[in-house]
Amino acid sequence: MEVLLEEVMAHIRFPMMSPRQLADLLLSPLTKHYKEIIVERMAIGMSFHAGQKERIEEVLSEEGGRLLFTPRLYKAFSWSSLLSVENFPSLASYHSRTLVFSSHSCLAEHAGDHVCEWVVDIFPKGVWFKKFFLIVWQGTVEVPENVLKTVRLSVTCKDLPMEGEMRARVGILICGVQANVEHIMKVVERNHRFSRDDMVLNFDDLIPFDELNKPLVEMLGSEQTSPYLSGRNRDILKIHIVVAPLTDICSMTFPHFSFK
């Protein structure tokens, strides 16, 4: 049991827990039985929130230490929100749905409690750029319309920190149904530096367009329903958006899981 516990603890990001959550772990029966293993990890989390640089540097020098301060794509309220597109077959082509939510702009408690506001737009049935006129110093240039056959999701940062930029790990968790069981069917993630000159992050081809937008005739039969639609009537598109802040001590690469 102790060996299994050590394997599991290695994948838990204790610094992503708040100091109160870390303190609550002391009441867990598991902590009482395996105090040395768990309390050591809890102490690392508390050192991170307190800004104890010397202790953090010690952990960073250890193998895999940097990963402890690298956020996972947790669906916690502090970092994520759910975007649902209900009655999906009735959504008109090129129309979008919008979600507005807020998340913490930093992981450590000592850095403050500033939050960033995010605007998420999903275009599940293609993107249509209408014709417009561009005014340049030579005169007026007509830009023709353009249609993109893609499922696009854009994430816009509306409230940057005082530093003027924010590095974040943005994860898109797409729900689906397999064997009548709803689960996270696909995950897309990207590291991005949001700034005043680059406030929008686009994800194109988030879902295969034809697989999501099956013709209505095909969707009449349950066997032909898109696996990316869930709900009682299989007509809801559900997407979790996770925005986890990154710092200089975070790892920019993420190892693959290996099951033994």
Side-chain angles (χ1 to χ4, degrees):
M1 179 64 181
E2 185 172 339
V3 175
L4 177 61
L5 184 65
E6 290 182 352
E7 289 286 337
V8 173
M9 290 297 107
H11 298 293
I12 297 178
R13 306 294 195 254
F14 283 88
M16 284 198 73
M17 299 182 187
S18 67
R20 181 173 181 177
Q21 290 173 324
L22 290 170
D24 288 342
L25 289 179
L26 293 173
L27 304 177
S28 171
L30 196 63
T31 304
K32 296 178 181 178
H33 284 86
Y34 303 97
K35 185 177 297 184
E36 291 185 4
I37 300 174
I38 299 178
V39 171
E40 180 183 0
R41 297 273 175 165
M42 292 170 55
I44 294 174
M46 294 300 292
S47 297
F48 174 75
H49 285 290
Q52 298 176 358
K53 295 183 179 180
E54 292 184 0
R55 177 57 180 142
I56 293 174
E57 290 294 335
E58 291 179 5
V59 177
L60 291 176
S61 64
E62 301 173 359
E63 182 180 358
R66 192 170 292 272
L67 285 175
L68 290 176
F69 305 105
T70 304
R72 288 191 179 279
L73 298 180
Y74 291 132
K75 294 192 299 180
F77 176 76
S78 302
W79 321 108
S80 72
S81 189
L82 173 65
L83 171 59
S84 296
V85 181
E86 300 183 357
N87 199 12
F88 182 82
S90 299
L91 181 68
S93 297
Y94 315 123
H95 280 217
S96 64
R97 289 291 183 267
T98 301
L99 168 71
V100 179
F101 75 102
S102 299
S103 70
H104 292 294
S105 61
C106 53
L107 292 175
E109 186 175 79
H110 74 86
D113 56 357
H114 181 271
V115 296
C116 285
E117 183 178 84
W118 304 93
V119 178
V120 180
D121 296 296
I122 178 74
F123 299 83
K125 296 192 175 183
V127 183
W128 177 24
F129 296 96
K130 298 182 180 181
K131 180 179 68 175
F132 65 94
F133 293 93
L134 180 65
I135 301 177
V136 295
W137 69 273
Q138 298 96 331
T140 303
V141 178
E142 179 180 332
V143 180
E145 70 174 11
N146 187 27
V147 174
L148 300 180
K149 188 179 179 182
T150 183
V151 177
R152 168 178 288 187
L153 184 141
S154 63
V155 180
T156 304
C157 182
K158 302 294 290 185
D159 187 18
L160 288 168
M162 294 182 61
E163 296 80 8
E165 66 176 28
M166 176 181 175
R167 288 190 299 165
R169 183 185 182 193
V170 181
I172 311 299
L173 284 60
I174 306 166
C175 296
V177 175
Q178 184 177 13
N180 295 322
V181 177
E182 182 177 323
H183 64 108
I184 301 299
M185 191 167 182
K186 182 179 180 181
V187 176
V188 180
E189 58 183 302
R190 195 179 302 171
N191 294 338
H192 189 72
R193 187 187 297 269
F194 293 92
S195 65
R196 291 184 175 85
D197 297 325
D198 189 7
M199 301 182 68
V200 182
L201 173 62
N202 288 324
F203 293 85
D204 280 330
D205 300 318
L206 189 65
I207 302 172
F209 184 88
D210 292 330
E211 192 168 354
L212 176 62
N213 294 282
K214 292 180 179 290
L216 186 59
V217 176
E218 293 185 22
M219 296 183 67
L220 293 178
S222 59
E223 296 298 326
Q224 297 296 329
T225 302
S226 172
Y228 293 99
L229 297 179
S230 57
R232 182 177 180 181
N233 298 320
R234 298 293 300 277
D235 62 350
I236 303 176
L237 176 63
K238 295 181 181 179
I239 298 177
H240 293 272
I241 298 93
V242 182
V243 183
L246 297 174
T247 63
D248 293 335
I249 63 176
C250 293
S251 174
M252 294 296 105
T253 59
F254 308 102
H256 297 287
F257 277 111
S258 59
F259 296 94
K260 300 179 181 179

